[in-house]
Amino acid sequence: MATDDVAQLADSLAKTGVEDGELSYKGQGRKLDDAQSVEEMVKEIQDFEGLQALRLEGNTVGVEAARAIAKALETKSALKRCYWSDMFTGRLRSEIPPALNSLGDALMLAGARLTVLDLSDNAFGPDGVKGIENLLKSSTCYTLQELRLNNCGMGIGGGKILAAALIYNHKKSSAEGSPFSLKVFVAGRNRLENDGATALAQAFKLIGSMEEVHMPQNGINHAGVTALAEAMQHNPGLRILNLNDNTFTEKGAIAMAQALKHLRSIQVINFGDCLVRPEGAKAIAASVSEGLPILKELNLSYGEITEDAALVVAQAVKDKDQLEKLDLNGNCIGEDGCRALKVAMEAMNMSELLGSLSDDEGEPEDDDDDDEDEDDDEEEDDDEEDVDEEEVEEEEEEEEEEESTGNKFSTPQSAPRPPEVSSFLSFPSPDKLLKLGPTRALLIEQQVDVSDAAKTAEAFLKIASVYKEDNNEVKNAVLDSIDGLLRKAFTSSSFQGYSFVSSLLVLLGLIKSEDKVKPVIVVPGHLQALEHVVRQDYFPKESVAVLEAFMSRNNKTLEPCGNAKNNLQSTLQRVRSQS
């Protein structure tokens, strides 16, 4: 080959970026208005044997230019990857659908089998989706694995058209023995809202092969989030779920937490700026704790999460040995809470995984007013709760009538609570505890629902409130009862120890809860019993550091318990240093 020919070929390759069957015009800023403007490009496409990928992003393509390029693609049956993002800058929206139709028709005519279609950053709206509708329904897309439509302004209408096309594709491809198995879906910043998201959720539920779903900034609230959550349960191979900057609220977060229980392959969860709130964060934490063995990143930033919920989230990741980042920035944790959170992460040797907390909003102000903008259907929910309460009252009246008629043969659904135990747990006193006899620990265990961390914490404090250091009989009765209760709780596979500690701190008045739980009046017995508990083998050592952080604060609620507080602090420090 002549030197000039070699130089010309090298120059051509440099301009187009040929690599592994790929022809690239990426980022060249060409203004391609008509057939003449793409003559060189068309010839290069025609002459490229075995073309597998075509990059047109970063140029602006008009209708006539698109038709000319499409003509060259009609024989390219090996084409698999179309990177066509940002290629209609400055074009009228009316120009985009016919341009896309031409390109899509060419791919179908060629008999291509696409694996990647990227049309991101083309503000084509619902009409643009119509321009690719036939393509998505065709056999050319039966093999599609990645569909990227980020920042296309599809809107609700476009989302519905897209969902219908994907569902049609799956049904047709399944009928032909090769079910559509999309793996990656990207559609951020598209104003899909609830209706668009719900339509797409139906498609995801049917497809069942999703590995990555990215739908940030779409104006989706809890109704759409709930639909997506249900759909995700049918995609067990999901690795990345990014719904950043949508509005979950507690309802959506709890629904998504339920979905996470089915997603053991999940590696990245991005629910940042989603307003998950404390109860939503706790629900997500519970799912994280119970599963997600290969989780690498959890983003719950900017979600109005309070201190107690943040600590629950931190404890939930303690066994995630592949975790790379926990992001809780921009929440309502407060200065002391941020300090406690760092202590908790340090105690688990995970401090370097905690992201910055520099944008924390501080502790939320007390507000007795209900959130007016919480949910549009709150009143409906309240009505349903009223009906449920009426049904419960009717059932209770029926049970009372049965008891009054002396029905000896009816079998109650659960054993009635012994009056002595009920009396003690309602109004604790040393005498009542002693009167329960030597089986008191077992009786209390049987009556407290240890699957509920908050109820277990409440029961612990009630038992501990009658502790007497100078009365060995009462002291031993208290400690035996507490050991029996907490050992049963902490050895249960379903018990959430971090929720117990969080509830305990709320009840002691050391942290605030969004639920406005009324703290108990702290007595020395509470702290003396707790000092005993932290030394036991059933109590998780990672929780010791959290308790130590809170006990070191200057808090008025603990002022009447000076000696007991000091002794507890010393014990916590000693236990932590030994672990």
Side-chain angles (χ1 to χ4, degrees):
M1 183 180 290
T3 303
D4 291 344
D5 292 337
V6 173
Q8 185 176 359
L9 176 61
D11 182 60
S12 177
L13 291 175
K15 285 195 299 180
T16 58
V18 178
E19 180 182 355
D20 296 332
E22 177 181 290
L23 186 57
S24 176
Y25 301 94
K26 180 179 179 180
Q28 294 184 8
R30 298 189 187 189
K31 193 171 186 298
L32 308 172
D33 296 323
D34 50 32
Q36 184 178 357
S37 65
V38 292
E39 280 182 356
E40 179 184 355
M41 183 183 294
V42 165
K43 186 175 188 308
E44 289 169 345
I45 293 172
Q46 290 172 335
D47 293 344
F48 198 112
E49 295 294 334
L51 179 65
Q52 295 183 31
L54 178 61
R55 289 187 173 274
L56 296 176
E57 64 262 58
N59 299 285
T60 176
V61 182
V63 176
E64 294 304 319
R67 286 175 180 161
I69 294 171
K71 190 67 177 176
L73 293 175
E74 289 179 356
T75 60
K76 301 301 175 182
S77 60
L79 188 62
K80 296 179 180 179
R81 303 185 302 278
C82 297
Y83 300 102
W84 296 347
S85 63
D86 187 24
M87 66 176 202
F88 295 114
T89 301
R91 300 292 169 183
L92 296 175
R93 181 169 290 188
S94 59
E95 293 182 79
I96 301 176
L100 290 173
N101 271 318
S102 296
L103 293 166
D105 289 346
L107 296 176
M108 290 186 281
L109 183 61
R113 292 292 185 267
L114 295 184
T115 58
V116 178
L117 178 59
D118 186 355
L119 288 165
S120 298
D121 300 316
N122 290 310
F124 49 48
D127 291 339
V129 183
K130 292 178 182 178
I132 58 171
E133 183 179 7
N134 290 336
L135 174 63
L136 291 173
K137 289 180 175 181
S138 74
S139 59
T140 294
C141 286
Y142 286 179
T143 52
L144 193 65
Q145 295 183 5
E146 297 184 20
L147 179 58
R148 300 176 181 273
L149 297 167
N150 201 57
N151 190 31
C152 287
M154 290 188 290
I156 295 172
K160 289 182 175 180
I161 295 169
L162 175 62
L166 297 178
I167 290 172
Y168 181 91
N169 182 326
H170 187 271
K171 290 181 178 179
K172 291 288 288 184
S173 59
S174 297
E176 295 184 18
S178 301
F180 178 44
S181 299
L182 188 67
K183 290 181 170 59
V184 178
F185 180 79
V186 182
R189 299 182 65 187
N190 270 289
R191 304 193 307 277
L192 293 170
E193 301 183 14
N194 282 343
D195 289 347
T198 300
L200 285 165
Q202 294 299 317
F204 298 149
K205 183 176 180 179
L206 183 65
I207 293 168
S209 58
M210 303 305 304
E211 295 181 4
E212 296 184 25
V213 174
H214 303 261
M215 297 175 65
Q217 287 185 288
N218 269 297
I220 308 169
N221 67 29
H222 74 85
V225 171
T226 299
L228 288 169
E230 183 183 352
M232 292 307 111
Q233 295 184 38
H234 297 269
N235 290 266
L238 191 69
R239 296 183 297 105
I240 299 175
L241 182 56
N242 176 9
L243 295 175
N244 188 284
D245 199 8
N246 290 291
T247 308
F248 282 37
T249 66
E250 289 92 339
K251 287 184 178 180
I254 290 170
M256 195 57 73
Q258 183 63 34
L260 290 175
K261 294 179 180 179
H262 301 266
L263 302 175
R264 293 185 60 80
S265 298
I266 200 86
Q267 296 179 18
V268 177
I269 299 172
N270 186 345
F271 297 159
D273 205 9
C274 284
L275 206 66
V276 298
R277 293 183 173 152
E279 291 309 309
K282 290 177 183 177
I284 292 169
S287 295
V288 169
S289 178
E290 293 168 10
L292 315 193
I294 57 174
L295 184 66
K296 292 183 177 180
E297 182 175 335
L298 176 59
N299 184 348
L300 295 177
S301 59
Y302 302 93
E304 292 190 358
I305 298 173
T306 52
E307 178 179 1
D308 61 322
L311 289 170
V312 170
V313 172
Q315 293 292 325
V317 302
K318 66 179 179 180
D319 295 324
K320 308 305 167 188
D321 54 12
Q322 295 191 36
L323 191 73
E324 297 175 359
K325 185 176 182 181
L326 172 62
D327 192 346
L328 291 170
N329 201 15
N331 282 298
C332 304
I333 303 173
E335 185 176 346
D336 288 340
C338 288
R339 191 177 301 114
L341 183 59
K342 292 175 181 177
V343 168
M345 293 295 287
E346 182 180 350
M348 298 184 293
N349 295 318
M350 303 176 81
S351 58
E352 72 281 1
L353 306 183
L354 180 64
S356 170
L357 298 172
S358 59
D359 289 342
D360 188 76
E361 298 285 342
E363 293 184 16
E365 296 180 2
D366 291 334
D367 186 4
D368 294 331
D369 297 331
D370 294 329
D371 292 335
E372 296 179 359
D373 60 347
E374 170 63 29
D375 292 304
D376 293 334
D377 56 353
E378 259 188 10
E379 292 182 2
E380 294 179 8
D381 293 344
D382 291 340
D383 291 340
E384 291 174 4
E385 290 173 5
D386 291 341
V387 172
D388 292 340
E389 289 172 2
E390 289 172 6
E391 292 175 355
V392 170
E393 289 174 1
E394 290 174 3
E395 291 173 1
E396 290 175 350
E397 289 173 3
E398 291 173 2
E399 291 173 1
E400 290 174 1
E401 288 176 5
E402 289 179 2
E403 291 174 1
S404 66
T405 59
N407 185 353
K408 298 179 181 179
F409 302 99
S410 62
T411 303
Q413 293 181 350
S414 59
R417 176 177 294 183
E420 295 85 357
V421 177
S422 176
S423 176
F424 170 72
L425 291 175
S426 298
F427 304 100
S429 74
D431 288 342
K432 289 180 181 178
L433 181 62
L434 294 178
K435 285 179 180 178
L436 293 178
T439 61
R440 64 180 68 87
L442 180 60
L443 290 172
I444 292 173
E445 282 179 50
Q446 292 173 339
Q447 300 309 317
V448 177
D449 181 7
V450 295
S451 66
D452 188 318
K455 290 180 179 177
T456 305
E458 185 178 354
F460 162 75
L461 290 176
K462 287 183 175 181
I463 301 169
S465 66
V466 304
Y467 180 96
K468 288 186 178 296
E469 183 66 34
D470 56 358
N471 186 322
N472 284 335
E473 186 180 12
V474 174
K475 174 181 175 181
N476 290 334
V478 167
L479 298 183
D480 287 346
S481 300
I482 284 174
D483 281 341
L485 176 69
L486 296 188
R487 190 178 298 278
K488 179 180 178 182
F490 279 104
T491 54
S492 170
S493 59
S494 61
F495 187 69
Q496 299 169 1
Y498 46 85
S499 292
F500 170 83
V501 173
S502 176
S503 297
L504 188 64
L505 293 170
V506 169
L507 289 167
L508 290 173
L510 298 180
I511 57 178
K512 293 180 181 179
S513 170
E514 192 182 62
D515 297 334
K516 298 181 174 65
V517 175
K518 185 177 181 180
V520 302
I521 298 174
V522 182
V523 296
H526 290 139
L527 305 188
Q528 290 165 327
L530 188 56
E531 182 188 356
H532 166 82
V533 167
V534 299
R535 297 198 302 266
Q536 306 310 306
D537 57 359
Y538 58 73
F539 191 77
K541 295 299 180 270
E542 62 269 11
S543 295
V544 171
V546 177
L547 287 174
E548 183 185 357
F550 282 95
M551 290 301 158
S552 64
R553 297 182 184 180
N554 293 322
N555 194 300
K556 291 183 179 180
T557 62
L558 302 183
E559 286 180 357
C561 311
N563 290 334
K565 177 188 174 184
N566 293 336
N567 292 338
L568 175 57
Q569 282 184 274
S570 298
T571 298
L572 288 167
Q573 291 172 358
R574 186 166 62 255
V575 172
R576 186 183 176 195
S577 64
Q578 293 171 352
S579 60

